[in-house]
Amino acid sequence: MIIQPKTRGFICTTAHPEGCAKNVQEQIDYVKKQAPIEGPKNVLVIGASTGYGLASRIAATFGAGAKTIGVFFERPASDNRTATAGWYNSAAFEKAAKDAGLYAKSINGDAFSREIKEQTIDLIKKDLGKIDLIIYSLASPRRIHPVTGETFNSVIKPIGKPFTNKTVDFHTGVVSEVTIQPATEDEIRQTIAVMGGEDWEMWLEAMKNADVLADGVITVSYSYIGPEVTHAVYKNGTIGRAKDDLEASSKRINQLLESLGGKSFVSVNKALVTQSSSAIPVVPLYISQLYKVMKQAGTHEGCIEQIYRLYADRLYGKELELDSNGRIRIDDLEMKPEIQKEVDELWKKVDTENIYTLSDLEGYRSEFFKLFGFGFKSIDYSKDISPEVSIESIKD
Ligand code: NAD
């Protein structure tokens, strides 16, 4: 099969196995060039196949020599369809871990369900005994509640009043004004149910009850705050409410882990191109401008640089500094006043005519296609290749 990118709105419906493998390898190479991390040994990553979760798995394995179990929800290839990028990423990751002599097993299924939690705990008991780091990095549009069976859908909307601002279609470069109507109370409730902290708590409770948490265990979930221009649609919107809920869960998880000397954290990360962030209105334009300014300043980072820093300098570094709300901040470079001042100035001026000079839209687009394994110069995309790739530990 000849695999080319096919886009529908902000998603790419195809993925290239060799390109995804390359994407994974680049992240592994980055970590291998850094100083080793005196870090975790047995790690569970929930949401391990793309974005921040994949980087969390790679940095733990190749930075700290950790054994990892990764949970994700991806689709293998079938008939004339390629697998999802996260499937190919995980296949390549497991192979690289195995080649390096490091344990890595994956579980593909709905992390919100009771079954997947049980399956994961059984695997931990069988292979690892206890876990000392749990990264919770799910981003999902939907959740079926494991107790009530209710299906929740998350929406990205402002709260209270409509929000109007600039946005870009990152495929065409057209900058336009978008107005997003405020969420209803029920939409807020549903978004909190999907992207809030209840499921994270359920994981930790189930793991504690099954006695698979090591003494001194750490768990981390990821959040975003960002600048004023995105606040209505992010921090003060439905997703922000869900992140507030995540922080409340983190406090309860801290109590749950007290008897083990464990700790729970929310880490506020940088805005980056991932499958999830490209779905948020306004944010891709902000990210394009942020990339331009941070690349110029020499402080630009991707998921892997962010997570390496989270492990090496913060979680397993000399001193863990927290903000006044008890959060880890690895969005520190993004939020520097001089960076934000420049982005703000560009924001006021940007339009369709000047988008390529006032933003790094090219960079955004190429990062986006890279997420699906496209755009690597060393890969011949006209070559016929098999979309069927198996993940070693998932073969049935
Ligand atoms: P992503 O879309 O790249 O990754 C989501 C992961 O969740 C994938 O591994 C996917 O398979 C998994 N997943 C989704 N639904 C699942 C389910 N039902 N069961 C099992 N696995 C499931 O997302 P991302 O951007 O890396 O986001 C991860 C976290 O980081 C989110 O909490 C997000 O809010 C946060 N974050 C993202 C950014 C950003 O700019 N991308 C910035 C700060 C924080």
Side-chain angles (χ1 to χ4, degrees):
M1 177 176 187
I2 294 175
I3 305 173
Q4 299 281 354
K6 269 199 206 120
T7 55
R8 203 177 54 224
F10 51 76
I11 54 167
C12 182
T13 57
T14 54
H16 197 280
E18 282 177 17
C20 289
K22 195 140 188 68
N23 199 3
V24 168
Q25 191 58 46
E26 280 186 354
Q27 296 191 48
I28 294 173
D29 292 344
Y30 171 81
V31 173
K32 280 174 147 176
K33 280 195 211 115
Q34 313 306 311
I37 303 163
E38 282 297 320
K41 292 297 158 229
N42 292 334
V43 178
L44 170 65
V45 181
I46 303 159
S49 53
T50 56
Y52 274 116
L54 174 66
S56 304
R57 194 176 192 191
I58 292 173
T61 303
F62 293 92
K67 298 176 179 173
T68 65
I69 293 176
V71 178
F72 46 76
F73 210 0
E74 302 293 346
R75 197 194 61 230
S78 61
D79 304 324
N80 258 344
R81 278 178 99 182
T82 71
T84 51
W87 180 273
Y88 292 139
N89 290 342
S90 303
F93 167 80
E94 270 201 17
K95 186 172 178 309
K98 192 175 169 215
D99 290 349
L102 293 160
Y103 173 100
K105 284 194 183 171
S106 305
I107 291 177
N108 188 37
D110 182 6
F112 296 129
S113 71
R114 218 176 339 212
E115 294 71 31
I116 290 296
K117 290 183 180 73
E118 281 167 7
Q119 209 179 309
T120 308
I121 288 170
D122 287 348
L123 183 62
I124 296 168
K125 281 187 178 161
K126 181 164 93 54
D127 288 358
L128 303 181
K130 296 200 179 195
I131 293 289
D132 52 16
L133 175 66
I134 299 119
I135 298 289
Y136 187 85
S137 186
L138 286 191
S140 174
R142 199 163 299 107
R143 172 176 173 221
I144 300 173
H145 196 280
V147 178
T148 65
E150 183 176 354
T151 300
F152 303 104
N153 292 295
S154 73
V155 295
I156 300 200
K157 290 191 178 178
I159 292 175
K161 55 179 196 280
F163 170 62
T164 301
N165 212 323
K166 292 178 187 178
T167 195
V168 69
D169 177 331
F170 60 86
H171 295 299
T172 61
V174 172
V175 177
S176 60
E177 216 170 57
V178 63
T179 297
I180 315 163
Q181 294 304 319
T184 62
E185 280 305 316
D186 195 51
E187 285 174 323
I188 299 170
R189 178 186 73 90
Q190 294 203 32
T191 306
I192 292 172
V194 180
M195 290 298 288
E198 188 190 23
D199 183 60
W200 185 23
E201 286 188 58
M202 285 179 163
W203 270 98
L204 268 296
E205 274 162 13
M207 292 178 76
K208 188 173 182 210
N209 290 340
D211 196 22
V212 295
L213 297 176
D215 284 341
V217 64
I218 292 176
T219 185
V220 186
S221 188
Y222 299 141
S223 185
Y224 183 65
I225 294 179
E228 190 69 40
V229 65
T230 63
H231 280 179
V233 76
Y234 202 101
K235 179 175 167 285
N236 300 332
T238 48
I239 182 79
R241 284 285 179 89
K243 295 299 184 186
D244 292 345
D245 186 68
L246 199 71
E247 288 185 29
S249 290
S250 186
K251 294 202 171 81
R252 284 191 292 272
I253 293 171
N254 254 323
Q255 285 164 8
L256 183 80
L257 301 182
E258 217 172 357
S259 59
L260 296 166
K263 285 235 169 314
S264 167
F265 298 102
V266 168
S267 170
V268 182
N269 299 359
K270 180 192 180 194
L272 283 175
V273 183
T274 66
Q275 294 189 41
S276 299
S277 66
S278 54
I280 308 177
V282 182
V283 167
L285 180 57
Y286 166 70
I287 293 181
S288 308
Q289 301 202 300
L290 180 71
Y291 274 29
K292 182 180 174 71
V293 174
M294 291 187 82
K295 282 179 184 174
Q296 263 166 6
T299 55
H300 176 69
E301 295 175 307
C303 288
I304 197 66
E305 290 87 353
Q306 279 266 291
I307 300 301
Y308 177 81
R309 209 152 62 81
L310 171 68
Y311 289 170
D313 296 355
R314 307 299 171 91
L315 289 178
Y316 303 101
K318 283 197 195 79
E319 214 174 301
L320 180 56
E321 225 182 274
L322 303 174
D323 72 8
S324 54
N325 288 307
R327 299 174 292 222
I328 300 174
R329 304 297 296 261
I330 53 169
D331 64 339
D332 48 352
L333 304 178
E334 168 182 358
M335 298 312 289
K336 274 194 183 304
E338 60 273 25
I339 296 287
Q340 285 303 324
K341 187 166 171 282
E342 247 188 276
V343 175
D344 204 43
E345 277 161 17
L346 293 176
W347 185 270
K348 286 182 197 127
K349 293 185 213 149
V350 73
D351 58 28
T352 308
E353 271 67 58
N354 60 25
I355 178 88
Y356 289 99
T357 42
L358 297 194
S359 84
D360 183 25
L361 194 65
E362 295 280 13
Y364 186 101
R365 205 182 285 144
S366 83
E367 284 285 306
F368 176 80
F369 284 110
K370 234 172 113 176
L371 297 176
F372 303 90
F374 297 110
F376 289 96
K377 288 202 174 65
S378 58
I379 293 178
D380 178 1
Y381 291 97
S382 62
K383 209 177 73 187
D384 202 348
I385 62 160
S386 169
E388 309 267 344
V389 173
S390 54
I391 298 176
E392 172 91 15
S393 70
I394 297 183
K395 268 187 227 154
D396 34 33

